[in-house]
Amino acid sequence: MDGVTIGDLDPGPLVTGAFVGLAGLLFLVQPVVPFVELGPLRLRPVALSALALAVGLWVGTVVYLARGKRLVGGAHAVGAVGWSGIVLGTATGNGAVLLGAVVLLVVGMLALAVESRRYA
């Protein structure tokens, strides 16, 4: 029988993808769900979306760097640090952290694009 079995599934990318998928879902429900209550906190879904994306990217960083995939792990690391900065800067109202995170993401993406050309 051809197909995929449970044993064929790789948990590292699955967990990474699950967090990224959760981030997308939370982003999409923002217009119809005004907030989510987590204990005493009332958080907008879009804020949780950014947090879920950052967590997913951190997981991807660990998974791919542990496997020796430097370019993919590096791409996840740039995103993880950048999105973590966006979450932290937004949560604390610190414009400098927020701006630094955006600059990091842009510069990191450009650096990764240049680096990826060496593999093409």
Side-chain angles (χ1 to χ4, degrees), residues 7-34:
D8 295 331
L9 299 176
D10 189 349
L14 281 175
V15 172
T16 301
F19 274 106
V20 173
L22 176 63
L25 180 64
L26 288 166
F27 183 80
L28 289 174
V29 301
Q30 174 63 43
V32 294
V33 178

Side-chain angles (χ1 to χ4, degrees), residues 17-71:
F19 274 106
V20 173
L22 176 63
L25 180 64
L26 288 166
F27 183 80
L28 289 174
V29 301
Q30 174 63 43
V32 294
V33 178
F35 62 88
V36 175
E37 289 188 32
L38 292 174
L41 299 175
R42 292 177 70 183
L43 302 169
R44 292 179 44 210
V46 71
L48 291 173
S49 172
L51 180 61
L53 182 58
V55 170
L57 289 166
W58 279 114
V59 171
T61 298
V62 172
V63 166
Y64 291 111
L65 289 178
R67 295 176 180 187
K69 296 185 177 190
R70 290 183 48 217
L71 186 61

Side-chain angles (χ1 to χ4, degrees), residues 83-113:
W83 277 100
S84 295
I86 288 172
V87 170
L88 182 63
T90 303
T92 62
N94 189 326
V97 171
L98 189 57
L99 179 61
V102 171
V103 169
L104 172 76
L105 284 170
V106 171
V107 171
M109 286 186 295
L110 293 174
L112 285 164

Side-chain angles (χ1 to χ4, degrees), residues 73-85:
H76 281 79
V78 167
V81 173
W83 277 100
S84 295

